[in-house]
Amino acid sequence: MNEVPETDQRCGFVAVVGAPNAGKSTLVNALVGTKVSIVSPKVQTTRFRVMGIAMVDDAQVVLVDTPGIFSPKKRLERAMVAAAWNGAADADHVCLLVDASRGYDDETRAIVEKLKEANRQAILVLNKVDLVKREKLLGLTAQLDAEGIFTNVFMISALKGDGIGDLLAHLGKMVAPGPWMFPEDQVSDLPQRLLAAEITREKAFLALYQELPYSLYVETEKWEEKEDGSARIDQVIYVERESQKPIVLGKGGRQIKAIGASARQELEELLERRVHLFIHIKVREDWSEKRGHYSELGLDFDS
């Protein structure tokens, strides 16, 4: 990208909200053009607000990928939902992402009602439109448009990349004139240590979500730059009970080796260099009830 004079620059924050598993992280990654948020077929995997930074012409669009909004029961769930609504409240614009294959379900309806209460307008983004027949899609669009809070409607497939360019171009035109908040080659506000931990958590989640859906988190304990240009990364996978350690290890340590190999491959692609990844497993009982853990994730313990 050619250097843009500060007087011509545009910048703004856009929150991406929606029900769990609507495809928010996939959309943010597609708009940014690289991975900044973890993706999983299991709901509620994004635990805190992740900022992805997308450039379009002279505009910098700072995307806030929020945890899925649902009816929370546990403390961690309440903190995640609070983070999602805080992300929407703080942003200049809001995109409501709806899984078109699920239709106008109760979770989406509750989000629409909350946006109405806050007097917020939003851009409606219908995702997974490739899975829905045209007649049903038109009916869903009319149903949602009748709510009176949507300024524009976009139909996309975040996974396939269909419609992403049009949506990004629109967001670039919407943000207000002003200097960029980040360097133009920066893609996320996540520190590398936290992004590395999130990648490993994604791989562990994909491998273990049937046995340990929400009982683990990952921490990057050490990051060492080597003389040959490679990086040594030491991480810990924390579980809540001693009985969960063998599940993460797998028979003969095969499960943890597979998780590590998959995480290391993605980290090498992301960092464009060799990575030496070492993963340990530790027990931290009831970590989801520890105030310090919430501070690390940028969540409010008292939500």
Side-chain angles (χ1 to χ4, degrees):
M1 180 181 292
N2 295 326
E3 188 171 333
V4 177
E6 194 167 301
T7 51
D8 295 332
Q9 292 177 1
R10 304 170 68 84
C11 186
F13 288 78
V14 179
V16 181
V17 301
N21 226 9
K24 295 180 296 298
S25 297
T26 304
L27 173 58
V28 170
N29 290 340
L31 288 167
V32 174
T34 190
K35 185 165 211 165
V36 294
S37 189
I38 76 168
V39 178
S40 163
K42 199 75 174 173
V43 300
Q44 301 154 23
T45 48
T46 299
R47 285 184 175 155
F48 51 92
R49 286 179 290 171
V50 177
M51 286 188 190
I53 302 153
M55 301 299 302
V56 51
D57 297 326
D58 56 355
Q60 185 174 77
V61 181
V62 185
L63 299 147
V64 185
D65 178 17
T66 60
I69 297 172
F70 56 102
S71 298
K73 298 178 179 66
K74 298 178 181 178
R75 183 186 295 277
L76 179 61
E77 293 174 347
R78 291 197 298 274
M80 287 161 59
V81 171
W85 282 118
N86 288 339
D90 294 343
D92 302 307
H93 305 283
V94 176
C95 283
L96 173 61
L97 190 66
V98 176
D99 180 346
S101 66
R102 289 212 302 258
Y104 195 11
D105 58 15
D106 291 340
E107 288 174 322
T108 301
R109 200 177 298 275
I111 295 169
V112 168
E113 289 305 313
K114 191 117 180 183
L115 288 170
K116 282 183 179 180
E117 288 171 21
N119 202 27
R120 287 301 300 259
Q121 290 190 308
I123 300 162
L124 175 61
V125 183
L126 296 176
N127 191 25
K128 308 180 188 179
V129 296
D130 51 314
L131 305 178
V132 182
K133 289 184 178 178
R134 179 178 171 80
E135 301 76 34
K136 182 181 176 184
L137 202 54
L138 293 174
L140 175 62
T141 303
Q143 192 179 10
L144 282 156
D145 197 42
E147 297 289 357
I149 63 167
F150 298 111
T151 57
N152 302 84
V153 180
F154 288 86
M155 298 187 184
I156 68 161
S157 169
L159 191 61
K160 293 183 176 180
D162 297 341
I164 297 298
D166 290 341
L167 175 59
L168 182 57
H170 179 74
L171 296 176
K173 290 173 184 172
M174 279 188 68
V175 296
W180 296 338
M181 301 286 291
F182 300 92
E184 65 177 303
D185 58 351
Q186 187 172 333
V187 296
S188 175
D189 72 327
L190 279 186
Q192 282 190 329
R193 293 168 73 103
L194 188 52
L195 182 57
E198 281 293 277
I199 286 171
T200 300
R201 183 166 72 95
E202 176 188 57
K203 304 311 177 188
F205 217 103
L206 290 169
L208 300 166
Y209 71 80
Q210 290 179 320
E211 295 98 333
L212 298 176
Y214 305 106
S215 297
L216 58 82
Y217 79 96
V218 180
E219 194 175 274
T220 301
E221 279 197 327
K222 185 178 176 185
W223 186 303
E224 183 184 352
E225 299 289 344
K226 310 294 281 186
E227 288 185 5
D228 63 359
S230 65
R232 174 187 170 124
I233 302 172
D234 290 80
Q235 294 180 329
V236 177
I237 294 179
Y238 286 101
V239 293
E240 291 190 299
R241 294 187 296 277
E242 193 69 38
S243 61
Q244 293 170 338
K245 282 177 70 175
I247 299 173
V248 181
L249 278 168
K251 191 172 182 180
R254 283 197 285 270
Q255 187 70 274
I256 190 68
K257 286 177 185 173
I259 291 168
S262 183
R264 179 181 54 78
Q265 182 180 351
E266 184 154 325
L267 282 166
E268 287 185 336
E269 290 173 4
L270 195 69
L271 300 171
E272 297 181 337
R273 55 191 168 127
R274 282 193 69 197
V275 169
H276 311 280
L277 181 62
F278 297 87
I279 302 176
H280 309 279
I281 307 166
K282 294 181 182 179
V283 178
R284 185 173 284 180
E285 291 187 8
D286 299 324
W287 61 260
S288 60
E289 293 296 321
K290 298 284 195 298
R291 184 179 292 274
H293 178 65
Y294 285 69
S295 299
E296 291 169 11
L297 295 180
L299 295 174
D300 182 2
F301 182 79
D302 298 312
S303 295

